[in-house]
Protein backbone atom coordinates (compact mmCIF):
# COMPACT_ATOMS: atom_id res chain seq x y z
CA UNK A 1 0.00 0.00 0.00
CA UNK A 2 2.86 2.39 0.83
CA UNK A 3 5.48 0.93 -1.52
CA UNK A 4 5.22 3.65 -4.16
CA UNK A 5 5.68 6.38 -1.55
CA UNK A 6 8.56 4.70 0.26
CA UNK A 7 10.57 3.49 -2.76
CA UNK A 8 12.06 6.92 -3.53
CA UNK A 9 13.06 7.48 0.10
CA UNK A 10 14.61 4.01 0.27
CA UNK A 11 16.54 4.60 -2.95
CA UNK A 12 17.87 7.94 -1.72
CA UNK A 13 19.19 6.32 1.45
CA UNK A 14 20.83 3.39 -0.36
CA UNK A 15 22.15 5.28 -3.40
CA UNK A 16 25.53 6.28 -1.89
CA UNK A 17 26.21 2.60 -1.12
CA UNK A 18 24.98 1.37 -4.49
CA UNK A 19 27.13 3.88 -6.40
CA UNK A 20 30.26 2.33 -4.85
CA UNK A 21 29.24 -1.18 -5.96
CA UNK A 22 29.62 -0.72 -9.69
CA UNK A 23 31.39 -4.04 -10.21
CA UNK A 24 28.96 -6.10 -8.09
CA UNK A 25 26.28 -8.11 -9.90
CA UNK A 26 22.72 -7.33 -8.79
CA UNK A 27 21.97 -11.04 -9.14
CA UNK A 28 24.72 -11.82 -6.64
CA UNK A 29 23.08 -9.44 -4.18
CA UNK A 30 19.76 -11.26 -4.74
CA UNK A 31 21.42 -14.62 -4.06
CA UNK A 32 23.11 -13.38 -0.89
CA UNK A 33 19.75 -11.98 0.18
CA UNK A 34 17.98 -15.33 -0.12
CA UNK A 35 20.69 -16.94 2.03
CA UNK A 36 19.74 -14.50 4.77
CA UNK A 37 16.05 -15.24 4.14
CA UNK A 38 16.56 -18.98 4.54
CA UNK A 39 18.78 -18.33 7.55
CA UNK A 40 15.96 -16.28 9.06
CA UNK A 41 13.59 -19.22 8.58
CA UNK A 42 16.02 -21.61 10.29
CA UNK A 43 16.40 -19.21 13.20
CA UNK A 44 12.61 -18.93 13.46
CA UNK A 45 12.32 -22.72 13.63
CA UNK A 46 14.90 -22.74 16.43
CA UNK A 47 13.07 -19.90 18.22
CA UNK A 48 16.09 -17.58 18.00
CA UNK A 49 13.87 -14.65 17.25
CA UNK A 50 16.09 -11.55 17.49
CA UNK A 51 18.72 -13.01 15.16
CA UNK A 52 15.94 -14.22 12.92
CA UNK A 53 14.57 -10.68 12.75
CA UNK A 54 18.04 -9.31 11.98
CA UNK A 55 18.47 -11.82 9.13
CA UNK A 56 15.01 -10.96 7.78
CA UNK A 57 15.79 -7.23 7.76
CA UNK A 58 19.12 -7.86 6.01
CA UNK A 59 17.21 -9.92 3.43
CA UNK A 60 14.85 -7.01 2.83
CA UNK A 61 17.69 -4.47 2.66
CA UNK A 62 19.49 -6.56 0.05
CA UNK A 63 16.23 -6.99 -1.87
CA UNK A 64 15.98 -3.21 -2.09
CA UNK A 65 19.64 -2.86 -3.03
CA UNK A 66 19.74 -5.28 -5.98
CA UNK A 67 17.21 -3.37 -8.07
CA UNK A 68 18.74 0.00 -7.25
CA UNK A 69 22.16 -1.33 -8.18
CA UNK A 70 20.82 -2.57 -11.51
CA UNK A 71 19.19 0.77 -12.30
CA UNK A 72 22.14 2.95 -11.29
CA UNK A 73 24.69 0.95 -13.27
CA UNK A 74 22.46 0.08 -16.23
CA UNK A 75 22.43 -3.64 -15.46
CA UNK A 76 18.67 -4.12 -15.60
CA UNK A 77 17.47 -7.19 -17.43
CA UNK A 78 14.41 -9.41 -17.42
CA UNK A 79 16.25 -12.39 -15.93
CA UNK A 80 17.39 -10.29 -12.99
CA UNK A 81 13.83 -9.17 -12.32
CA UNK A 82 12.61 -12.76 -12.60
CA UNK A 83 15.32 -14.07 -10.26
CA UNK A 84 14.55 -11.31 -7.75
CA UNK A 85 10.86 -12.16 -7.43
CA UNK A 86 11.52 -15.90 -7.39
CA UNK A 87 14.00 -15.55 -4.51
CA UNK A 88 11.59 -13.22 -2.70
CA UNK A 89 9.02 -15.98 -2.79
CA UNK A 90 11.54 -18.44 -1.36
CA UNK A 91 12.02 -16.20 1.68
CA UNK A 92 8.31 -15.37 1.96
CA UNK A 93 7.42 -19.07 2.09
CA UNK A 94 10.36 -20.31 4.16
CA UNK A 95 9.97 -17.94 7.12
CA UNK A 96 6.34 -18.80 8.03
CA UNK A 97 7.27 -22.47 7.57
CA UNK A 98 10.11 -21.96 10.01
CA UNK A 99 7.74 -20.48 12.55
CA UNK A 100 5.32 -23.35 12.02
CA UNK A 101 8.06 -25.89 12.69
CA UNK A 102 9.14 -24.03 15.80
CA UNK A 103 5.63 -23.62 17.19
CA UNK A 104 4.67 -27.30 16.88
CA UNK A 105 1.00 -26.44 17.42
CA UNK A 106 -1.91 -27.85 15.43
CA UNK A 107 -3.67 -24.46 15.44
CA UNK A 108 -0.53 -22.72 14.15
CA UNK A 109 -0.16 -25.42 11.48
CA UNK A 110 -3.72 -24.77 10.34
CA UNK A 111 -3.20 -20.99 10.29
CA UNK A 112 0.06 -21.54 8.39
CA UNK A 113 -1.74 -23.71 5.81
CA UNK A 114 -4.32 -20.96 5.34
CA UNK A 115 -1.61 -18.30 5.00
CA UNK A 116 0.35 -20.25 2.40
CA UNK A 117 -2.86 -21.01 0.49
CA UNK A 118 -3.69 -17.30 0.45
CA UNK A 119 -0.14 -16.63 -0.83
CA UNK A 120 -0.85 -19.01 -3.71
CA UNK A 121 -4.07 -17.17 -4.53
CA UNK A 122 -2.39 -13.78 -4.16
CA UNK A 123 0.44 -14.75 -6.51
CA UNK A 124 -2.08 -15.77 -9.16
CA UNK A 125 -4.03 -12.54 -8.61
CA UNK A 126 -1.15 -10.24 -9.44
CA UNK A 127 1.21 -12.24 -11.64
CA UNK A 128 -1.36 -13.09 -14.28
CA UNK A 129 -2.76 -9.58 -14.08
CA UNK A 130 0.74 -8.19 -14.62
CA UNK A 131 1.07 -10.36 -17.73
CA UNK A 132 -2.23 -9.04 -19.09
CA UNK A 133 -1.18 -5.44 -18.42
CA UNK A 134 2.13 -6.10 -20.16
CA UNK A 135 0.28 -7.56 -23.14
CA UNK A 136 -1.77 -4.39 -23.28
CA UNK A 137 1.39 -2.29 -23.06
CA UNK A 138 0.13 -0.81 -19.82
CA UNK A 139 3.56 -0.80 -18.18
CA UNK A 140 3.90 2.44 -16.25
CA UNK A 141 7.12 4.24 -17.26
CA UNK A 142 7.52 5.70 -13.79
CA UNK A 143 7.62 2.32 -12.04
CA UNK A 144 10.98 1.10 -10.77
CA UNK A 145 10.14 -2.58 -10.87
CA UNK A 146 10.38 -5.15 -13.65
CA UNK A 147 6.62 -5.63 -13.87
CA UNK A 148 3.65 -3.45 -13.09
CA UNK A 149 0.69 -4.31 -10.94
CA UNK A 150 -2.01 -2.31 -9.19
CA UNK A 151 -1.21 -1.34 -5.62
CA UNK A 152 -3.10 -3.22 -2.94
CA UNK A 153 -3.76 -3.18 0.77
CA UNK A 154 -0.79 -5.49 1.41
CA UNK A 155 2.43 -4.79 -0.45
CA UNK A 156 6.13 -5.08 0.23
CA UNK A 157 6.25 -2.63 3.14
CA UNK A 158 3.31 -4.23 4.92
CA UNK A 159 4.88 -7.64 4.46
CA UNK A 160 8.08 -6.41 6.12
CA UNK A 161 6.02 -5.13 9.04
CA UNK A 162 4.03 -8.35 9.52
CA UNK A 163 7.05 -10.62 9.21
CA UNK A 164 8.84 -8.45 11.76
CA UNK A 165 5.85 -8.91 14.06
CA UNK A 166 6.22 -12.69 13.70
CA UNK A 167 9.64 -12.33 15.30
CA UNK A 168 8.77 -9.62 17.82
CA UNK A 169 5.51 -11.17 19.06
CA UNK A 170 5.87 -14.94 18.58
CA UNK A 171 3.42 -15.58 21.41
CA UNK A 172 0.72 -14.07 19.18
CA UNK A 173 1.83 -15.90 16.04
CA UNK A 174 -1.53 -17.61 15.49
CA UNK A 175 -3.39 -14.29 15.62
CA UNK A 176 -0.88 -12.52 13.39
CA UNK A 177 -1.08 -15.32 10.81
CA UNK A 178 -4.88 -15.02 10.76
CA UNK A 179 -4.90 -11.22 10.49
CA UNK A 180 -2.24 -11.22 7.78
CA UNK A 181 -4.09 -13.90 5.81
CA UNK A 182 -7.33 -11.89 6.01
CA UNK A 183 -5.63 -8.71 4.80
CA UNK A 184 -3.95 -10.51 1.90
CA UNK A 185 -7.32 -12.02 0.94
CA UNK A 186 -8.84 -8.52 0.95
CA UNK A 187 -5.99 -7.43 -1.32
CA UNK A 188 -6.88 -10.24 -3.75
CA UNK A 189 -10.51 -9.07 -3.76
CA UNK A 190 -9.37 -5.48 -4.24
CA UNK A 191 -7.32 -6.52 -7.28
CA UNK A 192 -10.19 -8.56 -8.66
CA UNK A 193 -12.50 -5.53 -8.49
CA UNK A 194 -9.83 -3.34 -10.07
CA UNK A 195 -9.35 -5.88 -12.89
CA UNK A 196 -13.11 -6.16 -13.49
CA UNK A 197 -13.43 -2.39 -13.81
CA UNK A 198 -10.24 -1.91 -15.85
CA UNK A 199 -10.03 -4.93 -18.16
Amino acid sequence: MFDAYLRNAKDRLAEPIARRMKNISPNLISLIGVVFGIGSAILAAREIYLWGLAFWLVNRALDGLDGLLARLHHKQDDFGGYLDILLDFVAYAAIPLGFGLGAASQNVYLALAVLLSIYYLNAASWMYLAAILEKRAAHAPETATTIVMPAGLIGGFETVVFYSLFFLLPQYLLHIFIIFSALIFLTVIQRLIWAYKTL
Side-chain angles (χ1 to χ4, degrees), residues 4 7 71 76 129-151 194:
R7 185 173 289 115
R71 290 189 297 277
Q76 286 176 288
L129 183 56
I132 293 170
L133 292 173
E134 183 70 23
K135 184 184 82 169
R136 294 184 172 201
H139 190 85
E142 70 276 5
T143 187
T145 56
T146 301
I147 59 172
V148 65
M149 63 176 169
W194 183 93

Side-chain angles (χ1 to χ4, degrees), residues 23-34 62 66 69 83 87:
N23 297 320
I24 305 294
S25 164
N27 292 344
L28 177 61
I29 299 297
S30 300
L31 290 166
I32 294 170
V34 80
L62 293 174
D66 57 6
L69 194 63
L83 180 67
L87 297 180

Side-chain angles (χ1 to χ4, degrees), residues 70-104:
R71 290 189 297 277
L72 280 178
H73 301 297
H74 309 290
K75 296 180 180 180
Q76 286 176 288
D77 60 45
D78 289 339
F79 176 76
Y82 174 72
L83 180 67
D84 182 38
I85 194 66
L86 185 64
L87 297 180
D88 280 351
F89 270 60
V90 171
Y92 289 158
I95 291 171
L97 281 171
F99 275 100
L101 290 171

Side-chain angles (χ1 to χ4, degrees), residues 31-50:
L31 290 166
I32 294 170
V34 80
V35 171
F36 277 94
I38 293 169
S40 179
I42 293 169
L43 291 164
R46 295 184 178 180
E47 301 182 352
I48 307 172
Y49 297 128
L50 288 181

